[in-house]
Amino acid sequence: MAQPAAPRATPPALPAAHWSDAPLAWRDRLLGSARFRRWAEGFAPTRWVARRRAGQVFDLVAGFVYSQVLLACVQLRLFDLLLAEGPHTLPALALRLNLPLASIERLVLAAVSLRLLAPRTQRRYGLGPLGAPLAGNPGLAAMVEHHVALYRDLADPLALLRGESGPGQLAGFWPYAGTEAPDALPGRQLADYSALMAASQPLVAEQVLHVYPLQRHRRLLDVGGGDGAFACAAAGHAPALHVQVFDLPGVAARAAQRFAQAGLASRCSAQGGDFLRDELPAGADLVTLLRVVHDHGDEPVLRLLRAVHRALAKGGRLLLAEPLADTPGNQAMGHAYFGFYLMAMGSGQPRSEGRLRELLAEAGFTTVRRLPTPLPLQASVLVADADSSNKCKC
């Protein structure tokens, strides 16, 4: 016997339209009109606008193809080759990269159109303005190659949005995001993400070290500091600074090994634990959270910030660095890129500076200041004081 269909949920009532919506509704109807688009494309004063908008829409459609052209260049180490040896002809590249000449021509012309490569004299090709920063940059190359997992998780975006896709490749790559006991993860599960963090950490470290004087501090606690890449950079930047990393036990062991190999064991140490559950080592006058907060929801982040506040020495300070949502000029990075990346990862959310300020205030921090970084796309820096007696003069 057929079961009666479950009653369908009644959609919530739409809010009443505001008078200010009327001009935007008129604009939407106009831009959605095929007749208006044809007129705008043929009318000289509006033709350039119509063409630019059409190009922007096409770039959204073709974005995945563009990213795959970039991935192919990175996987072939093409940028590194051209940096080391200078411009090459197509036949020379085909021979060096072991690809058919027709395929190399297709890839190179695509890369030229994306400004990754540029034509040179004598039918040679060299680095373009967007390919040159990727040459000799293992951190950026590692991030590009890592996105293979993200693209697979986004193959069916509706399944991701509906929660039907289950744990994907990113969730497996960041194993701490989907487990209730991250401190129990074996070292082999942490190796891949630790290596990626180590390769990409200089991108954030250079932003932090450029804008904040670590020399004024005596002891730094780097919470979620991975295998110690930033800790080593900080110790080199401030020779009198003592640095401690706090991360999952398997990761902390890798940090301790890095410190020993770098000859920094006298000033750098590592302690294992779960920073969302365990008390943090106390007494540091500076705590850093680099690309940590956006990996977690509001409730665990608030717990973490309160733990940092308790661990800081009197007059201590928190330095928080990560890409921020709603950053002028980089708005798509926040909610479009990180919004879906973290959703696929299964943990975290992008946050604006305003939202982080609210969480910091709720955790007990007083003065909060944003330090302008050279590349906010890589990281913005917020500095928060643990008590009102320590004014934020950075």
Side-chain angles (χ1 to χ4, degrees), residues 56-269:
Q56 290 170 339
V57 171
F58 183 81
D59 283 342
L60 290 176
V61 175
F64 177 74
V65 179
Y66 299 164
S67 70
Q68 297 306 92
V69 171
L70 172 61
L71 176 61
C73 292
V74 168
Q75 290 178 326
L76 289 167
R77 302 296 183 258
L78 177 55
F79 304 129
D80 295 340
L81 171 66
L82 295 177
L83 177 65
E85 301 181 6
H88 279 49
T89 64
L90 293 177
L93 286 175
L95 183 64
R96 289 297 307 277
L97 301 176
N98 194 28
L99 283 175
L101 179 59
S103 298
I104 279 293
E105 182 178 16
R106 188 73 56 99
L107 175 63
V108 167
L109 293 180
V112 167
S113 72
L114 298 175
R115 304 176 67 203
L116 295 168
L117 301 180
R120 303 291 173 85
T121 59
Q122 299 176 324
R123 296 185 179 182
R124 298 173 304 156
Y125 293 88
L127 293 169
L130 299 186
L134 288 149
N137 192 325
L140 283 177
M143 290 299 294
V144 171
E145 293 184 291
H146 163 67
H147 278 70
V148 171
L150 174 62
Y151 299 149
R152 288 172 180 163
D153 286 349
L154 291 179
D156 188 347
L158 291 185
L160 179 66
L161 289 166
R162 290 169 178 154
E164 299 171 350
S165 56
Q169 294 206 3
L170 277 187
F173 188 86
W174 306 103
Y176 63 81
T179 178
E180 293 296 322
D183 54 333
L185 290 168
R188 65 179 181 277
Q189 283 189 261
L190 306 172
D192 289 342
Y193 98 76
S194 294
L196 177 62
M197 291 295 289
S200 59
Q201 192 73 289
L203 303 177
V204 178
E206 66 185 17
Q207 302 298 307
V208 172
L209 298 177
H210 182 82
V211 300
Y212 190 83
L214 294 180
Q215 296 90 338
R216 66 174 54 184
H217 295 278
R218 58 177 181 80
R219 183 179 168 193
L220 165 65
L221 174 64
D222 188 20
V223 177
D227 72 351
F230 174 72
C232 286
H237 195 73
L241 185 67
H242 287 259
V243 185
Q244 184 175 28
V245 164
F246 187 88
D247 211 316
L248 300 175
V251 180
R254 298 169 67 92
Q257 184 178 14
R258 175 190 280 264
F259 299 150
Q261 292 172 345
L264 292 170
S266 62
R267 288 197 294 129
C268 298
S269 62

Side-chain angles (χ1 to χ4, degrees), residues 331-345:
Q331 288 89 342
M333 168 203 65
H335 294 298
Y337 173 76
F338 277 110
F340 273 76
Y341 184 101
L342 295 171
M343 191 176 194
M345 177 176 150

Side-chain angles (χ1 to χ4, degrees), residues 346-359:
S347 175
Q349 62 191 80
R351 294 182 180 86
S352 65
E353 176 184 349
R355 180 56 185 146
L356 285 173
R357 284 178 176 270
E358 291 172 355
L359 291 168

Side-chain angles (χ1 to χ4, degrees), residues 33 142 358 375:
S33 164
E358 291 172 355
L375 285 176

Side-chain angles (χ1 to χ4, degrees), residues 207-208 211 319-322 369-373 379-383:
Q207 302 298 307
V208 172
V211 300
L319 188 154
L320 188 157
E322 63 183 43
R369 181 182 174 190
R370 180 173 178 175
L371 305 182
T373 54
S380 294
V381 173
L382 295 181
V383 176

